[in-house]
Amino acid sequence: MEVSEILNKLTWKLGGQAGFGIMSAGLVFSRTLSRHGLHVFDTTEHPSLIRGGHNTYFVRAEDEPVYSQIWPLDMLVALNKETIDLHKNELISGGCIIYDGDEIKIDQEGLGRQDIKLFPVSILKMAKDCGGTALMRNAAALGACMGVIEGDFNTFEQVFRDTYKKKGQEILDKNIEIAWKGFEYARNNYANQYDKKIQQIHGAPRRMLINGNTAICIGAIKAGLKFYAAYPMTPASSILHFLAGHEREFNIITKHTEDEIAAMNMIIGAGSAGVRSMVATSGGGFALMVEALSLAGMAEIPLVAVNVTRAGPSTGLPTRQEQSDLQFIMNSGHGEFPKIVVCPGDPEECFYETFRAFNLAEKYQLQVIILSDKYLADANLTYEKWDTSPLKIDRGKLLNKEDLDKMSGPLDYKAFEVTQDGVSPRALPGHPNSVHRRTGNEHDEHGVISEDKNNRLAQMDKRMRKLNGAEAELPEPILFGDSDADITIISWGSTKMPVRQAMKFMHDEGIKVNHLHILYALPFNTKKIKQILQGCKKTLLIEGNKTAQMGHLISAKTGIMPDHEYLKYNAEPFYPEEICDQVKKILNR
Amino acid sequence: MPSVADLTPKSKPTWCPGCGDFAILAAVKNAISQLGLQKHEVMIASGIGCSSKLPHWVDVNGFHSIHGRGLPIITGIKLANHKLHCMVTGGDGDGVGIGTNHFIHAMRRNLDITYIMHDNQIYGLTKGQTSPTSEKGMHTKSTPFGVIEIPINPIGLAIVSGATFVAQGYSGNIKHLTELVKQGMQHRGFAFINVLQPCVTFNHVNTFEFFDSRVYNLQEENYDTTNKANAIIKSEEWGERIPIGVFYETRRSTYADELPQLKDQALVDQDISNINVEHIMEYLY
């Protein structure tokens, strides 16, 4: 060995033209590192195209927890020349490029990077020599990566076989043969020139590799989702795909509807009939749903809606990141009605908060909106299997058959009964004593249209009271990190991931920083957040939009405007390094 | 079995005196009563418009939603609880104006529901504007110089879109309309009934007098309800003679029939108390 090794710490990027199989190859590599027992974060970048355009898959793996992507790149796998041109300067000194030397002719001088290593591998030729297709060169490229870092080929092979199970034995065998060629060639020729190594950690726990959208799906399934309707829209579509793939296994109906208007109205129908229902879309689709959302508010129909934000406005940058829908979602729907807006910050929160969302929706007979975004939707993190034992279904004041049997007749039942907590007993259609009507018009306790002023006040107040109960049972916002921090970072949603990563870096440098992650935008816990902010020495607001939408909410609710703000709207997620830079600038470090 | 009186709640219709909607309300109540359905077994959804207020005046389950969305609302209800007898009522603006997309797709799906479109060829609740079924040249508040477009043909649209029972009724003939609603509700699949329903306040062209002298019953002539091509041609008949009755009827599996998820139990009856997701988490290893 010519170089001293750095063990189990690697950043890796695969790049090429859309249509080259970047996404699935990247996932195989990511899972392979996860199954070595490492903590993994991965994220993708791609344009809104089926073919052509530049795609990348970034993977970061370490033997300690990781929370987000970082800038320094160790290993670049280039399936075309463009990848090298675009990303060579992300490589650290001593980093390497793996590429097809038969297709791409480069040298260090031409690249202007004398400090990086070039590892040409004849990946296309290896695929062809084994009788494979051009696409199978990805197997050779991945094999070569494994060879350079001297990872465990058997682990790689198992991941490959698990991931592509449906391709059939023959194709799998061929791919593995090709991958082995790449592995052997790179190990024999380049391994001794490269310092980053990956080794199987024995005794490491089994971990899932899961992104926000998949976590939402599993949370919803666990919560008893029975009806899901959606119209495809990036970056929400993978929720539709996942649920459609599992609909028969869990007796869920997934419906790809004629438009988003139909999707929202269908789940309102299904919710009113008593099944747990969900819709997911992105901003433009949500815009089409809000008239019906307002109906659900008035008719008190429980539902869960997911808005996976893309960079807007309009079509915007369909496959890219932004946190620009907060005010839109909070204010969605005409008129005033209670709703809950939750902004999970990582896949784990996506899972648990989605589960909770279904309980909240039914308990308070209102609409819960899960506000996610592209970055959270697609980024995979490793977690040990989530504990589902504390998760209990709570359907609130839902009357069962025995309750209804006791009533003397349907006039006994008031679907919109004015109660102390604002929540009326809920009966589903189908029982003789629960016959009732729901309407988008203002109505009396029986659901009969009413324009009486006193009734209006009573019903409006009753509906809005429901939020009090919901707020009381939600987790209180907390300060994460040093209690005597010199600066408090405020963020919401997916920005939690790079903030937590930045905090780890800063902690290692001795900078005292803590974090207020605002999980619930509605109901907004004014009292607690105000109390937290009043105790902070300095505050830095970080959010992915142009107009500081959360900043305005905080200021409107608490009268406190964060001292500093760092806003990003170039359609990429935050990097922890830039967060560290901002903090250091403020603290004069 | 509820009588028509049992199906009549305390609140009274707010329609104009003489409105064609009264006949449809009567036919719906007659049909439910004569079919022997219990109140709690029936669900009527609607959108917005004079006609869409109908669910408030039949004492069964109801969902009075928003403009044009009665069909997606009932779709969700039907898939959640396919044991309910599901019906949608709405106007021509609701059905073939703002809700046209849902109208076409609901028929393509062949859900087992009955859709009654109150076709008065005018917007009533918004006080007299043109509708998608207004005749070319009609003067209304929104078209003071006459409608330029030709009207939509709801019957023809239903036939080509995949409805499996397509009929036309007339508010001037409650007995016939009652039979059509009963047939529609008994039909397994999407039943579309277009009802010629004079608006006595805003449509001074397509009045009861207009229709009385023109409508004739297809079933009193030698008419084949299984001939699709002929039914489409028949749907174009509008002038001296206007056909009512069943235009087209066929059989096709319903949307719910093709869902194994509904084979044993309605969705709403399925137990959700302890769903195991361990194996999907395991699959992500």
Side-chain angles (χ1 to χ4, degrees), chain A residues 230-249:
Chain A
Y231 188 83
M233 188 168 189
T234 306
S237 301
S238 65
I239 297 177
L240 172 61
H241 305 163
F242 187 95
L243 291 172
H246 289 86
E247 65 174 353
R248 294 193 176 184
E249 184 183 348

Side-chain angles (χ1 to χ4, degrees), chain A residues 71-242:
Chain A
W71 266 330
L73 182 62
D74 296 323
M75 181 180 280
L76 178 64
V77 187
L79 295 182
N80 59 6
K81 176 73 167 39
E82 191 189 14
T83 300
I84 298 174
D85 297 336
L86 287 170
H87 303 290
K88 63 181 181 190
N89 290 331
E90 295 166 20
L91 283 163
I92 58 159
S93 192
C96 68
I97 305 177
I98 293 172
Y99 62 101
D100 194 333
D102 302 335
E103 278 190 5
I104 304 169
K105 301 295 177 196
I106 46 167
D107 56 41
Q108 288 167 317
E109 204 166 331
L111 289 178
R113 288 293 307 264
Q114 301 283 353
D115 59 335
I116 59 173
K117 294 176 174 127
L118 300 181
F119 296 154
V121 182
S122 300
I123 53 173
L124 184 62
K125 186 169 179 300
M126 285 174 181
K128 297 275 184 198
D129 285 352
C130 296
T133 63
L135 203 61
M136 289 185 190
R137 67 190 179 150
N138 290 355
L142 294 176
C145 294
M146 294 300 293
V148 172
I149 57 177
E150 295 179 83
D152 182 54
F153 190 83
N154 290 336
T155 303
F156 166 80
E157 177 176 345
Q158 199 51 54
V159 169
F160 202 99
R161 289 188 186 278
D162 289 353
T163 307
Y164 295 113
K165 236 183 322 215
K166 286 181 187 152
K167 300 268 182 199
Q169 190 69 27
E170 200 182 328
I171 289 175
L172 281 175
D173 288 348
K174 186 148 289 175
N175 270 289
I176 296 301
E177 187 189 343
I178 295 166
W180 177 253
K181 286 206 166 202
F183 179 79
E184 265 203 312
Y185 181 84
R187 190 179 53 179
N188 295 340
N189 291 284
Y190 303 129
N192 61 350
Q193 298 175 45
Y194 193 64
D195 57 349
K196 298 273 175 109
K197 301 296 169 195
I198 297 292
Q199 256 179 28
Q200 191 82 39
I201 299 176
H202 295 288
R206 286 167 78 84
R207 295 193 185 97
M208 314 179 275
L209 185 66
I210 186 167
N211 63 36
N213 275 1
T214 308
I216 286 173
C217 292
I218 300 177
I221 293 171
K222 177 69 192 161
L225 174 74
K226 283 286 141 199
F227 186 73
Y228 177 78
Y231 188 83
M233 188 168 189
T234 306
S237 301
S238 65
I239 297 177
L240 172 61
H241 305 163
F242 187 95

Side-chain angles (χ1 to χ4, degrees), chain A residues 31 35 206 209 222 226 247 249 251-252 255 258-259 261 266 269 273 385 430 436-441, chain B residues 40 55 58-60 62 64 69 72 76-77 101-102 109 255 261 268 270 275 279 282-285:
Chain A
R31 287 181 90 182
R35 285 206 205 169
R206 286 167 78 84
L209 185 66
K222 177 69 192 161
K226 283 286 141 199
E247 65 174 353
E249 184 183 348
N251 270 346
I252 294 165
K255 185 76 205 91
E258 57 269 30
D259 55 29
I261 298 172
M266 280 187 199
K385 262 196 240 170
H436 69 282
R437 284 156 289 281
R438 289 183 187 263
T439 171
N441 287 62
Chain B
H40 66 278
V58 189
D59 195 9
V60 296
H64 174 212
R69 316 302 172 206
I77 293 172
N101 202 18
H102 310 311
R109 288 176 194 128
Y255 194 86
Q261 296 95 311
V268 71
Q270 295 177 14
I275 291 168
H279 61 288
E282 182 60 33
Y283 172 80
L284 293 163
Y285 166 60

Side-chain angles (χ1 to χ4, degrees), chain A residues 371-404:
Chain A
L371 181 52
S372 176
D373 55 42
K374 185 272 162 194
Y375 176 50
L376 177 54
D378 291 348
N380 284 299
L381 272 94
T382 39
Y383 294 96
E384 287 176 51
K385 262 196 240 170
W386 290 313
D387 181 11
T388 58
S389 59
L391 303 179
K392 301 279 179 268
I393 302 286
D394 185 349
R395 306 197 67 180
K397 295 188 188 176
L398 182 66
L399 302 175
N400 59 28
K401 188 176 176 299
E402 290 71 41
D403 300 328
L404 289 164

Side-chain angles (χ1 to χ4, degrees), chain A residues 297-300 338 363-366 397 414-425 438 442-445 454-469:
Chain A
M298 180 58 112
E300 303 199 43
K363 268 180 90 171
Y364 300 101
Q365 298 172 43
L366 47 61
K397 295 188 188 176
K414 295 181 198 165
F416 306 96
E417 187 178 335
V418 175
T419 57
Q420 192 111 43
D421 61 2
V423 183
S424 313
R438 289 183 187 263
E442 186 58 278
H443 45 263
D444 67 14
E445 290 184 306
N454 291 327
N455 176 72
R456 162 67 172 180
L457 293 177
Q459 284 294 323
M460 189 70 164
D461 290 343
K462 160 209 148 32
R463 286 191 293 269
M464 297 307 281
R465 268 203 303 280
K466 296 190 290 187
L467 271 187
N468 300 342

Side-chain angles (χ1 to χ4, degrees), chain A residues 460-518:
Chain A
M460 189 70 164
D461 290 343
K462 160 209 148 32
R463 286 191 293 269
M464 297 307 281
R465 268 203 303 280
K466 296 190 290 187
L467 271 187
N468 300 342
E471 185 170 356
E473 75 164 80
L474 292 177
E476 280 205 329
I478 51 155
L479 265 183
F480 175 86
D482 292 320
S483 55
D484 62 337
D486 293 322
I487 187 163
T488 299
I489 297 173
I490 306 164
S491 76
W492 61 277
S494 67
T495 300
K496 178 186 176 189
M497 294 185 284
V499 167
R500 291 289 159 94
Q501 189 61 61
M503 286 175 72
K504 191 153 178 275
F505 292 156
M506 288 187 278
H507 180 81
D508 293 345
E509 290 183 53
I511 300 173
K512 284 184 171 171
V513 54
N514 58 21
H515 180 208
L516 173 62
H517 165 58
I518 298 178

